[in-house]
Amino acid sequence: LALTASPGFARAWLCLGSILKRRGALAEAADAYRAAWSHDRTETLALEQLAFVLSRLGQYERAGECFRTLLDVAPDSCRAHHNFGLLQLETGYATEALASFRRALQLQPETVESIACAGHALRDLGRIEEAITCYDQALALRPGFGDALANRALAFLCKGDYANGWTEYEHRFAAGGKQRRSVGGPVWRGEPLQGKSVVVLSEQGVGDEIMFASCLPDLITVAGRVTVACESRLTELFRRSFPATVVLPRENPEGAPQVATVATDFEISIGSLPSQFRPTADSFPQAGAYLKADPDKSKRWRVLCDSRGSRLHVGIAWCGGTLRNRQRLRSLEISDLE
């Protein structure tokens, strides 16, 4: 109604953009923020929000242009430098991101979020000890700060400090504000499992589940019965690879047993298995596959490859992640491979 009466009312365009953003209509929100900025060049919040929405749409170059324009207009905006740093970090420019976070900290020295993000940039640059120092500083200012806590755990793991890394990794759910899946049983924390049952609960992405499943053989050797609740795409793979376990899809499709109704002595999230079975570098298996391919599919691929000559054949996983999980850094264009 306000815009019907006054189409050039920048603040109304800004508010409309915020409503559309909350509804998830990001492309429409971008149009609204763009209109607000075009009608009032002092409405810097519109430009800041436009940059954010464009980055969430994966339009990183346009988002970067918005941030550069914003910093020309508001060079002393701590938030603008910080958010530009987030975009640079997400798109693989860790050195530039570190400079942006440090500029933000020059403007507001004890901004916990910027201190932690400087740690992220340092970690991406391989400067692990400096990254840990940043996380320590952030946690000294705000104990229990989830972003610093979770990423300090990853930094410890990066440098092979598994004792501290896995211990702190146990804070990942609280740090990320996510609820741990549960079937209502007590969490297994290393108690004897002879004759006992344990349910392993999925978490994170398919790649993480596959990685942490390397600990399942260790669990199977010490437990009386193991039930694995996994992402449905992994059900057949895990059943074939771990025949001594009961494998159920966590989504519970019609007709499948309900994971939530499984009676068990203990439960554990799959990402917590390394804290029990990988305390040191020596505890990692030195060799041997733990997953078993489908023999029929393997045979079909072997026939196909053999029919194309004796050259080396290489399979490439060329796309990974999501827009919120560094997809740009984890993916390739087919044209690049060509």
Side-chain angles (χ1 to χ4, degrees), residues 127-173:
R127 295 157 62 177
I128 304 301
E129 294 296 345
E130 293 175 77
I132 292 172
T133 298
C134 284
Y135 298 139
D136 289 341
Q137 292 172 351
L139 290 166
L141 291 167
R142 189 186 300 171
F145 179 48
D147 190 34
L149 205 56
N151 282 281
R152 186 171 68 176
L154 297 179
F156 282 137
L157 294 173
C158 279
K159 72 171 196 168
D161 183 353
Y162 299 110
N164 284 313
W166 294 130
T167 298
E168 293 216 352
Y169 195 61
E170 289 303 291
H171 298 296
R172 63 192 178 280
F173 294 109

mmCIF file of all heavy atoms in Angstrom, residues 127-173:
data_model
loop_
_atom_site.group_PDB
_atom_site.id
_atom_site.type_symbol
_atom_site.label_atom_id
_atom_site.label_comp_id
_atom_site.label_asym_id
_atom_site.label_seq_id
_atom_site.Cartn_x
_atom_site.Cartn_y
_atom_site.Cartn_z
ATOM 1 N N ARG A 127 47.510 -21.963 8.673
ATOM 2 C CA ARG A 127 48.175 -21.393 9.858
ATOM 3 C C ARG A 127 47.377 -21.810 11.094
ATOM 4 O O ARG A 127 46.707 -21.014 11.743
ATOM 5 C CB ARG A 127 48.282 -19.878 9.696
ATOM 6 C CG ARG A 127 49.193 -19.497 8.536
ATOM 7 C CD ARG A 127 48.940 -18.114 7.965
ATOM 8 N NE ARG A 127 49.166 -17.040 8.907
ATOM 9 C CZ ARG A 127 49.060 -15.741 8.610
ATOM 10 N NH1 ARG A 127 48.767 -15.391 7.353
ATOM 11 N NH2 ARG A 127 49.270 -14.825 9.519
ATOM 12 N N ILE A 128 47.468 -23.102 11.411
ATOM 13 C CA ILE A 128 46.579 -23.717 12.393
ATOM 14 C C ILE A 128 46.790 -23.163 13.795
ATOM 15 O O ILE A 128 45.821 -22.881 14.505
ATOM 16 C CB ILE A 128 46.770 -25.256 12.393
ATOM 17 C CG1 ILE A 128 46.542 -25.816 10.985
ATOM 18 C CG2 ILE A 128 45.812 -25.910 13.385
ATOM 19 C CD1 ILE A 128 45.176 -25.546 10.413
ATOM 20 N N GLU A 129 48.041 -23.010 14.229
ATOM 21 C CA GLU A 129 48.287 -22.517 15.593
ATOM 22 C C GLU A 129 47.738 -21.106 15.771
ATOM 23 O O GLU A 129 47.165 -20.774 16.816
ATOM 24 C CB GLU A 129 49.791 -22.555 15.902
ATOM 25 C CG GLU A 129 50.388 -23.951 15.960
ATOM 26 C CD GLU A 129 49.809 -24.809 17.086
ATOM 27 O OE1 GLU A 129 49.163 -24.255 17.983
ATOM 28 O OE2 GLU A 129 50.010 -26.043 17.035
ATOM 29 N N GLU A 130 47.903 -20.254 14.753
ATOM 30 C CA GLU A 130 47.353 -18.898 14.831
ATOM 31 C C GLU A 130 45.826 -18.941 14.871
ATOM 32 O O GLU A 130 45.194 -18.131 15.563
ATOM 33 C CB GLU A 130 47.818 -18.068 13.637
ATOM 34 C CG GLU A 130 49.301 -17.767 13.618
ATOM 35 C CD GLU A 130 49.710 -17.035 12.347
ATOM 36 O OE1 GLU A 130 49.456 -15.817 12.257
ATOM 37 O OE2 GLU A 130 50.260 -17.693 11.441
ATOM 38 N N ALA A 131 45.234 -19.880 14.129
ATOM 39 C CA ALA A 131 43.778 -20.023 14.148
ATOM 40 C C ALA A 131 43.306 -20.395 15.537
ATOM 41 O O ALA A 131 42.329 -19.825 16.060
ATOM 42 C CB ALA A 131 43.340 -21.080 13.132
ATOM 43 N N ILE A 132 43.990 -21.342 16.180
ATOM 44 C CA ILE A 132 43.608 -21.761 17.533
ATOM 45 C C ILE A 132 43.727 -20.595 18.509
ATOM 46 O O ILE A 132 42.876 -20.422 19.400
ATOM 47 C CB ILE A 132 44.469 -22.959 17.977
ATOM 48 C CG1 ILE A 132 44.108 -24.201 17.147
ATOM 49 C CG2 ILE A 132 44.292 -23.255 19.471
ATOM 50 C CD1 ILE A 132 45.010 -25.391 17.364
ATOM 51 N N THR A 133 44.749 -19.773 18.330
ATOM 52 C CA THR A 133 44.889 -18.582 19.184
ATOM 53 C C THR A 133 43.680 -17.667 19.043
ATOM 54 O O THR A 133 43.161 -17.130 20.038
ATOM 55 C CB THR A 133 46.179 -17.812 18.828
ATOM 56 O OG1 THR A 133 47.314 -18.654 19.079
ATOM 57 C CG2 THR A 133 46.317 -16.546 19.655
ATOM 58 N N CYS A 134 43.189 -17.488 17.807
ATOM 59 C CA CYS A 134 41.990 -16.661 17.597
ATOM 60 C C CYS A 134 40.775 -17.270 18.296
ATOM 61 O O CYS A 134 39.994 -16.554 18.943
ATOM 62 C CB CYS A 134 41.709 -16.513 16.099
ATOM 63 S SG CYS A 134 42.791 -15.355 15.245
ATOM 64 N N TYR A 135 40.602 -18.577 18.166
ATOM 65 C CA TYR A 135 39.465 -19.222 18.811
ATOM 66 C C TYR A 135 39.561 -19.094 20.327
ATOM 67 O O TYR A 135 38.547 -18.875 21.008
ATOM 68 C CB TYR A 135 39.388 -20.694 18.398
ATOM 69 C CG TYR A 135 39.179 -20.904 16.913
ATOM 70 C CD1 TYR A 135 39.856 -21.904 16.222
ATOM 71 C CD2 TYR A 135 38.310 -20.090 16.187
ATOM 72 C CE1 TYR A 135 39.675 -22.095 14.855
ATOM 73 C CE2 TYR A 135 38.127 -20.262 14.822
ATOM 74 C CZ TYR A 135 38.814 -21.265 14.168
ATOM 75 O OH TYR A 135 38.630 -21.442 12.817
ATOM 76 N N ASP A 136 40.774 -19.208 20.859
ATOM 77 C CA ASP A 136 40.967 -19.034 22.299
ATOM 78 C C ASP A 136 40.577 -17.619 22.725
ATOM 79 O O ASP A 136 39.931 -17.423 23.772
ATOM 80 C CB ASP A 136 42.424 -19.303 22.681
ATOM 81 C CG ASP A 136 42.808 -20.779 22.595
ATOM 82 O OD1 ASP A 136 41.890 -21.629 22.587
ATOM 83 O OD2 ASP A 136 44.019 -21.073 22.541
ATOM 84 N N GLN A 137 40.971 -16.635 21.914
ATOM 85 C CA GLN A 137 40.631 -15.242 22.232
ATOM 86 C C GLN A 137 39.119 -15.032 22.218
ATOM 87 O O GLN A 137 38.560 -14.376 23.107
ATOM 88 C CB GLN A 137 41.299 -14.301 21.236
ATOM 89 C CG GLN A 137 42.817 -14.237 21.349
ATOM 90 C CD GLN A 137 43.449 -13.433 20.219
ATOM 91 O OE1 GLN A 137 42.782 -13.055 19.255
ATOM 92 N NE2 GLN A 137 44.749 -13.174 20.321
ATOM 93 N N ALA A 138 38.459 -15.591 21.207
ATOM 94 C CA ALA A 138 37.006 -15.451 21.114
ATOM 95 C C ALA A 138 36.313 -16.104 22.309
ATOM 96 O O ALA A 138 35.373 -15.540 22.887
ATOM 97 C CB ALA A 138 36.501 -16.066 19.804
ATOM 98 N N LEU A 139 36.788 -17.279 22.696
ATOM 99 C CA LEU A 139 36.163 -17.997 23.813
ATOM 100 C C LEU A 139 36.462 -17.332 25.147
ATOM 101 O O LEU A 139 35.665 -17.433 26.097
ATOM 102 C CB LEU A 139 36.626 -19.451 23.818
ATOM 103 C CG LEU A 139 36.060 -20.288 22.661
ATOM 104 C CD1 LEU A 139 36.808 -21.600 22.518
ATOM 105 C CD2 LEU A 139 34.565 -20.539 22.872
ATOM 106 N N ALA A 140 37.597 -16.636 25.251
ATOM 107 C CA ALA A 140 37.890 -15.888 26.468
ATOM 108 C C ALA A 140 36.914 -14.725 26.631
ATOM 109 O O ALA A 140 36.506 -14.386 27.755
ATOM 110 C CB ALA A 140 39.331 -15.372 26.436
ATOM 111 N N LEU A 141 36.529 -14.124 25.499
ATOM 112 C CA LEU A 141 35.573 -13.019 25.540
ATOM 113 C C LEU A 141 34.140 -13.514 25.704
ATOM 114 O O LEU A 141 33.311 -12.856 26.338
ATOM 115 C CB LEU A 141 35.687 -12.181 24.267
ATOM 116 C CG LEU A 141 36.970 -11.361 24.099
ATOM 117 C CD1 LEU A 141 37.088 -10.833 22.679
ATOM 118 C CD2 LEU A 141 36.987 -10.209 25.102
ATOM 119 N N ARG A 142 33.840 -14.665 25.108
ATOM 120 C CA ARG A 142 32.481 -15.207 25.196
ATOM 121 C C ARG A 142 32.563 -16.727 25.354
ATOM 122 O O ARG A 142 32.514 -17.474 24.377
ATOM 123 C CB ARG A 142 31.664 -14.858 23.952
ATOM 124 C CG ARG A 142 30.172 -15.200 24.092
ATOM 125 C CD ARG A 142 29.429 -14.961 22.787
ATOM 126 N NE ARG A 142 29.504 -13.589 22.340
ATOM 127 C CZ ARG A 142 29.071 -13.174 21.141
ATOM 128 N NH1 ARG A 142 28.550 -14.055 20.296
ATOM 129 N NH2 ARG A 142 29.167 -11.903 20.797
ATOM 130 N N PRO A 143 32.695 -17.203 26.576
ATOM 131 C CA PRO A 143 32.790 -18.646 26.810
ATOM 132 C C PRO A 143 31.572 -19.382 26.239
ATOM 133 O O PRO A 143 30.443 -18.926 26.362
ATOM 134 C CB PRO A 143 32.823 -18.752 28.339
ATOM 135 C CG PRO A 143 33.363 -17.434 28.793
ATOM 136 C CD PRO A 143 32.816 -16.421 27.817
ATOM 137 N N GLY A 144 31.846 -20.502 25.594
ATOM 138 C CA GLY A 144 30.755 -21.281 25.014
ATOM 139 C C GLY A 144 30.309 -20.805 23.654
ATOM 140 O O GLY A 144 29.325 -21.326 23.118
ATOM 141 N N PHE A 145 31.015 -19.831 23.054
ATOM 142 C CA PHE A 145 30.641 -19.340 21.727
ATOM 143 C C PHE A 145 30.765 -20.475 20.723
ATOM 144 O O PHE A 145 31.855 -20.973 20.446
ATOM 145 C CB PHE A 145 31.518 -18.154 21.339
ATOM 146 C CG PHE A 145 31.234 -17.584 19.979
ATOM 147 C CD1 PHE A 145 29.942 -17.311 19.571
ATOM 148 C CD2 PHE A 145 32.267 -17.316 19.101
ATOM 149 C CE1 PHE A 145 29.673 -16.777 18.306
ATOM 150 C CE2 PHE A 145 32.026 -16.780 17.843
ATOM 151 C CZ PHE A 145 30.722 -16.522 17.449
ATOM 152 N N GLY A 146 29.643 -20.894 20.155
ATOM 153 C CA GLY A 146 29.585 -22.110 19.363
ATOM 154 C C GLY A 146 30.490 -22.115 18.154
ATOM 155 O O GLY A 146 31.157 -23.121 17.869
ATOM 156 N N ASP A 147 30.550 -21.028 17.406
ATOM 157 C CA ASP A 147 31.342 -20.989 16.189
ATOM 158 C C ASP A 147 32.818 -21.232 16.491
ATOM 159 O O ASP A 147 33.499 -21.997 15.799
ATOM 160 C CB ASP A 147 31.150 -19.635 15.503
ATOM 161 C CG ASP A 147 31.750 -19.601 14.102
ATOM 162 O OD1 ASP A 147 31.725 -20.639 13.424
ATOM 163 O OD2 ASP A 147 32.244 -18.535 13.695
ATOM 164 N N ALA A 148 33.318 -20.598 17.554
ATOM 165 C CA ALA A 148 34.725 -20.775 17.919
ATOM 166 C C ALA A 148 34.969 -22.169 18.479
ATOM 167 O O ALA A 148 35.988 -22.801 18.195
ATOM 168 C CB ALA A 148 35.131 -19.719 18.941
ATOM 169 N N LEU A 149 34.028 -22.668 19.254
ATOM 170 C CA LEU A 149 34.189 -23.975 19.884
ATOM 171 C C LEU A 149 34.256 -25.089 18.837
ATOM 172 O O LEU A 149 35.156 -25.937 18.853
ATOM 173 C CB LEU A 149 33.023 -24.220 20.839
ATOM 174 C CG LEU A 149 33.223 -25.175 22.011
ATOM 175 C CD1 LEU A 149 34.399 -24.739 22.864
ATOM 176 C CD2 LEU A 149 31.957 -25.224 22.842
ATOM 177 N N ALA A 150 33.299 -25.067 17.897
ATOM 178 C CA ALA A 150 33.257 -26.115 16.876
ATOM 179 C C ALA A 150 34.463 -26.058 15.960
ATOM 180 O O ALA A 150 35.044 -27.086 15.593
ATOM 181 C CB ALA A 150 31.969 -25.990 16.060
ATOM 182 N N ASN A 151 34.874 -24.857 15.585
ATOM 183 C CA ASN A 151 35.989 -24.737 14.651
ATOM 184 C C ASN A 151 37.335 -24.946 15.329
ATOM 185 O O ASN A 151 38.292 -25.366 14.671
ATOM 186 C CB ASN A 151 35.929 -23.386 13.941
ATOM 187 C CG ASN A 151 34.885 -23.379 12.837
ATOM 188 O OD1 ASN A 151 35.116 -23.893 11.755
ATOM 189 N ND2 ASN A 151 33.718 -22.827 13.129
ATOM 190 N N ARG A 152 37.428 -24.684 16.631
ATOM 191 C CA ARG A 152 38.663 -25.025 17.342
ATOM 192 C C ARG A 152 38.852 -26.542 17.370
ATOM 193 O O ARG A 152 39.967 -27.041 17.236
ATOM 194 C CB ARG A 152 38.659 -24.458 18.761
ATOM 195 C CG ARG A 152 39.992 -24.662 19.469
ATOM 196 C CD ARG A 152 40.074 -23.913 20.781
ATOM 197 N NE ARG A 152 39.170 -24.449 21.795
ATOM 198 C CZ ARG A 152 39.110 -24.017 23.053
ATOM 199 N NH1 ARG A 152 39.918 -23.030 23.446
ATOM 200 N NH2 ARG A 152 38.256 -24.538 23.918
ATOM 201 N N ALA A 153 37.729 -27.259 17.511
ATOM 202 C CA ALA A 153 37.808 -28.724 17.463
ATOM 203 C C ALA A 153 38.373 -29.189 16.125
ATOM 204 O O ALA A 153 39.253 -30.057 16.069
ATOM 205 C CB ALA A 153 36.420 -29.329 17.692
ATOM 206 N N LEU A 154 37.893 -28.603 15.025
ATOM 207 C CA LEU A 154 38.388 -28.978 13.697
ATOM 208 C C LEU A 154 39.856 -28.596 13.527
ATOM 209 O O LEU A 154 40.623 -29.319 12.884
ATOM 210 C CB LEU A 154 37.537 -28.311 12.621
ATOM 211 C CG LEU A 154 36.058 -28.728 12.598
ATOM 212 C CD1 LEU A 154 35.318 -27.977 11.503
ATOM 213 C CD2 LEU A 154 35.910 -30.226 12.400
ATOM 214 N N ALA A 155 40.251 -27.467 14.121
ATOM 215 C CA ALA A 155 41.657 -27.051 14.030
ATOM 216 C C ALA A 155 42.555 -28.038 14.773
ATOM 217 O O ALA A 155 43.637 -28.396 14.295
ATOM 218 C CB ALA A 155 41.822 -25.643 14.593
ATOM 219 N N PHE A 156 42.113 -28.486 15.946
ATOM 220 C CA PHE A 156 42.877 -29.504 16.676
ATOM 221 C C PHE A 156 43.031 -30.769 15.831
ATOM 222 O O PHE A 156 44.108 -31.365 15.759
ATOM 223 C CB PHE A 156 42.184 -29.857 17.992
ATOM 224 C CG PHE A 156 42.393 -28.852 19.098
ATOM 225 C CD1 PHE A 156 41.336 -28.460 19.910
ATOM 226 C CD2 PHE A 156 43.640 -28.309 19.337
ATOM 227 C CE1 PHE A 156 41.519 -27.545 20.937
ATOM 228 C CE2 PHE A 156 43.843 -27.384 20.367
ATOM 229 C CZ PHE A 156 42.777 -27.000 21.168
ATOM 230 N N LEU A 157 41.935 -31.182 15.183
ATOM 231 C CA LEU A 157 41.988 -32.384 14.344
ATOM 232 C C LEU A 157 42.917 -32.176 13.156
ATOM 233 O O LEU A 157 43.632 -33.089 12.749
ATOM 234 C CB LEU A 157 40.583 -32.758 13.874
ATOM 235 C CG LEU A 157 39.616 -33.205 14.978
ATOM 236 C CD1 LEU A 157 38.213 -33.394 14.419
ATOM 237 C CD2 LEU A 157 40.091 -34.498 15.631
ATOM 238 N N CYS A 158 42.907 -30.961 12.581
ATOM 239 C CA CYS A 158 43.775 -30.655 11.439
ATOM 240 C C CYS A 158 45.246 -30.877 11.783
ATOM 241 O O CYS A 158 46.032 -31.303 10.936
ATOM 242 C CB CYS A 158 43.575 -29.207 10.997
ATOM 243 S SG CYS A 158 42.139 -28.934 9.953
ATOM 244 N N LYS A 159 45.620 -30.561 13.015
ATOM 245 C CA LYS A 159 47.039 -30.701 13.367
ATOM 246 C C LYS A 159 47.340 -32.039 14.038
ATOM 247 O O LYS A 159 48.455 -32.261 14.509
ATOM 248 C CB LYS A 159 47.484 -29.538 14.253
ATOM 249 C CG LYS A 159 46.975 -29.546 15.676
ATOM 250 C CD LYS A 159 47.696 -28.445 16.470
ATOM 251 C CE LYS A 159 47.532 -28.639 17.961
ATOM 252 N NZ LYS A 159 48.440 -27.770 18.730
ATOM 253 N N GLY A 160 46.347 -32.942 14.054
ATOM 254 C CA GLY A 160 46.581 -34.278 14.583
ATOM 255 C C GLY A 160 46.465 -34.392 16.083
ATOM 256 O O GLY A 160 46.850 -35.409 16.664
ATOM 257 N N ASP A 161 45.918 -33.372 16.745
ATOM 258 C CA ASP A 161 45.701 -33.427 18.193
ATOM 259 C C ASP A 161 44.329 -34.057 18.429
ATOM 260 O O ASP A 161 43.344 -33.376 18.700
ATOM 261 C CB ASP A 161 45.768 -32.016 18.784
ATOM 262 C CG ASP A 161 45.625 -32.006 20.307
ATOM 263 O OD1 ASP A 161 45.343 -33.081 20.887
ATOM 264 O OD2 ASP A 161 45.776 -30.931 20.901
ATOM 265 N N TYR A 162 44.268 -35.386 18.319
ATOM 266 C CA TYR A 162 42.985 -36.082 18.378
ATOM 267 C C TYR A 162 42.385 -36.070 19.782
ATOM 268 O O TYR A 162 41.163 -36.036 19.930
ATOM 269 C CB TYR A 162 43.148 -37.508 17.858
ATOM 270 C CG TYR A 162 43.610 -37.542 16.426
ATOM 271 C CD1 TYR A 162 44.896 -37.978 16.094
ATOM 272 C CD2 TYR A 162 42.790 -37.090 15.403
ATOM 273 C CE1 TYR A 162 45.333 -37.971 14.784
ATOM 274 C CE2 TYR A 162 43.226 -37.087 14.087
ATOM 275 C CZ TYR A 162 44.503 -37.530 13.786
ATOM 276 O OH TYR A 162 44.924 -37.516 12.493
ATOM 277 N N ALA A 163 43.222 -36.090 20.805
ATOM 278 C CA ALA A 163 42.710 -36.095 22.174
ATOM 279 C C ALA A 163 41.838 -34.866 22.427
ATOM 280 O O ALA A 163 40.687 -34.969 22.882
ATOM 281 C CB ALA A 163 43.863 -36.158 23.167
ATOM 282 N N ASN A 164 42.368 -33.677 22.117
ATOM 283 C CA ASN A 164 41.586 -32.448 22.290
ATOM 284 C C ASN A 164 40.530 -32.295 21.203
ATOM 285 O O ASN A 164 39.428 -31.809 21.459
ATOM 286 C CB ASN A 164 42.508 -31.226 22.286
ATOM 287 C CG ASN A 164 43.275 -31.064 23.573
ATOM 288 O OD1 ASN A 164 42.707 -31.164 24.656
ATOM 289 N ND2 ASN A 164 44.578 -30.836 23.482
ATOM 290 N N GLY A 165 40.884 -32.710 19.969
ATOM 291 C CA GLY A 165 39.964 -32.525 18.850
ATOM 292 C C GLY A 165 38.661 -33.265 19.032
ATOM 293 O O GLY A 165 37.579 -32.679 18.924
ATOM 294 N N TRP A 166 38.725 -34.569 19.329
ATOM 295 C CA TRP A 166 37.484 -35.337 19.472
ATOM 296 C C TRP A 166 36.717 -34.914 20.712
ATOM 297 O O TRP A 166 35.479 -34.910 20.709
ATOM 298 C CB TRP A 166 37.792 -36.832 19.531
ATOM 299 C CG TRP A 166 38.353 -37.424 18.283
ATOM 300 C CD1 TRP A 166 39.457 -38.201 18.172
ATOM 301 C CD2 TRP A 166 37.829 -37.295 16.939
ATOM 302 N NE1 TRP A 166 39.679 -38.561 16.869
ATOM 303 C CE2 TRP A 166 38.690 -38.026 16.084
ATOM 304 C CE3 TRP A 166 36.734 -36.635 16.395
ATOM 305 C CZ2 TRP A 166 38.478 -38.115 14.708
ATOM 306 C CZ3 TRP A 166 36.528 -36.726 15.015
ATOM 307 C CH2 TRP A 166 37.387 -37.443 14.199
ATOM 308 N N THR A 167 37.430 -34.539 21.781
ATOM 309 C CA THR A 167 36.738 -34.079 22.994
ATOM 310 C C THR A 167 35.906 -32.839 22.696
ATOM 311 O O THR A 167 34.732 -32.748 23.070
ATOM 312 C CB THR A 167 37.752 -33.780 24.116
ATOM 313 O OG1 THR A 167 38.443 -34.987 24.450
ATOM 314 C CG2 THR A 167 37.047 -33.247 25.351
ATOM 315 N N GLU A 168 36.516 -31.875 22.009
ATOM 316 C CA GLU A 168 35.783 -30.647 21.694
ATOM 317 C C GLU A 168 34.745 -30.870 20.602
ATOM 318 O O GLU A 168 33.730 -30.166 20.553
ATOM 319 C CB GLU A 168 36.762 -29.541 21.283
ATOM 320 C CG GLU A 168 37.648 -29.082 22.416
ATOM 321 C CD GLU A 168 37.934 -27.596 22.367
ATOM 322 O OE1 GLU A 168 37.578 -26.935 21.375
ATOM 323 O OE2 GLU A 168 38.517 -27.097 23.352
ATOM 324 N N TYR A 169 34.975 -31.861 19.756
ATOM 325 C CA TYR A 169 34.014 -32.151 18.692
ATOM 326 C C TYR A 169 32.672 -32.590 19.267
ATOM 327 O O TYR A 169 31.639 -32.491 18.594
ATOM 328 C CB TYR A 169 34.584 -33.231 17.771
ATOM 329 C CG TYR A 169 33.863 -33.379 16.453
ATOM 330 C CD1 TYR A 169 33.801 -32.313 15.556
ATOM 331 C CD2 TYR A 169 33.260 -34.575 16.091
ATOM 332 C CE1 TYR A 169 33.147 -32.434 14.343
ATOM 333 C CE2 TYR A 169 32.605 -34.711 14.868
ATOM 334 C CZ TYR A 169 32.551 -33.641 14.008
ATOM 335 O OH TYR A 169 31.903 -33.758 12.804
ATOM 336 N N GLU A 170 32.666 -33.055 20.491
ATOM 337 C CA GLU A 170 31.427 -33.462 21.138
ATOM 338 C C GLU A 170 30.494 -32.273 21.388
ATOM 339 O O GLU A 170 29.320 -32.459 21.703
ATOM 340 C CB GLU A 170 31.724 -34.186 22.452
ATOM 341 C CG GLU A 170 32.321 -35.576 22.269
ATOM 342 C CD GLU A 170 31.427 -36.477 21.421
ATOM 343 O OE1 GLU A 170 30.337 -36.839 21.907
ATOM 344 O OE2 GLU A 170 31.803 -36.791 20.272
ATOM 345 N N HIS A 171 31.008 -31.055 21.257
ATOM 346 C CA HIS A 171 30.181 -29.858 21.440
ATOM 347 C C HIS A 171 29.510 -29.421 20.141
ATOM 348 O O HIS A 171 28.857 -28.383 20.102
ATOM 349 C CB HIS A 171 31.026 -28.691 21.961
ATOM 350 C CG HIS A 171 31.646 -28.923 23.296
ATOM 351 N ND1 HIS A 171 30.910 -29.088 24.443
ATOM 352 C CD2 HIS A 171 32.952 -29.033 23.663
ATOM 353 C CE1 HIS A 171 31.720 -29.267 25.473
ATOM 354 N NE2 HIS A 171 32.962 -29.246 25.021
ATOM 355 N N ARG A 172 29.640 -30.209 19.059
ATOM 356 C CA ARG A 172 29.209 -29.740 17.740
ATOM 357 C C ARG A 172 27.712 -29.467 17.653
ATOM 358 O O ARG A 172 27.292 -28.551 16.941
ATOM 359 C CB ARG A 172 29.623 -30.747 16.669
ATOM 360 C CG ARG A 172 28.981 -32.122 16.791
ATOM 361 C CD ARG A 172 29.682 -33.120 15.870
ATOM 362 N NE ARG A 172 29.138 -34.473 15.970
ATOM 363 C CZ ARG A 172 29.443 -35.322 16.931
ATOM 364 N NH1 ARG A 172 30.286 -34.967 17.895
ATOM 365 N NH2 ARG A 172 28.912 -36.533 16.955
ATOM 366 N N PHE A 173 26.892 -30.231 18.342
ATOM 367 C CA PHE A 173 25.441 -30.004 18.238
ATOM 368 C C PHE A 173 25.042 -28.708 18.939
ATOM 369 O O PHE A 173 24.336 -27.875 18.371
ATOM 370 C CB PHE A 173 24.682 -31.193 18.826
ATOM 371 C CG PHE A 173 24.854 -32.466 18.049
ATOM 372 C CD1 PHE A 173 25.605 -33.509 18.553
ATOM 373 C CD2 PHE A 173 24.294 -32.602 16.788
ATOM 374 C CE1 PHE A 173 25.786 -34.678 17.827
ATOM 375 C CE2 PHE A 173 24.471 -33.767 16.048
ATOM 376 C CZ PHE A 173 25.223 -34.813 16.581
#
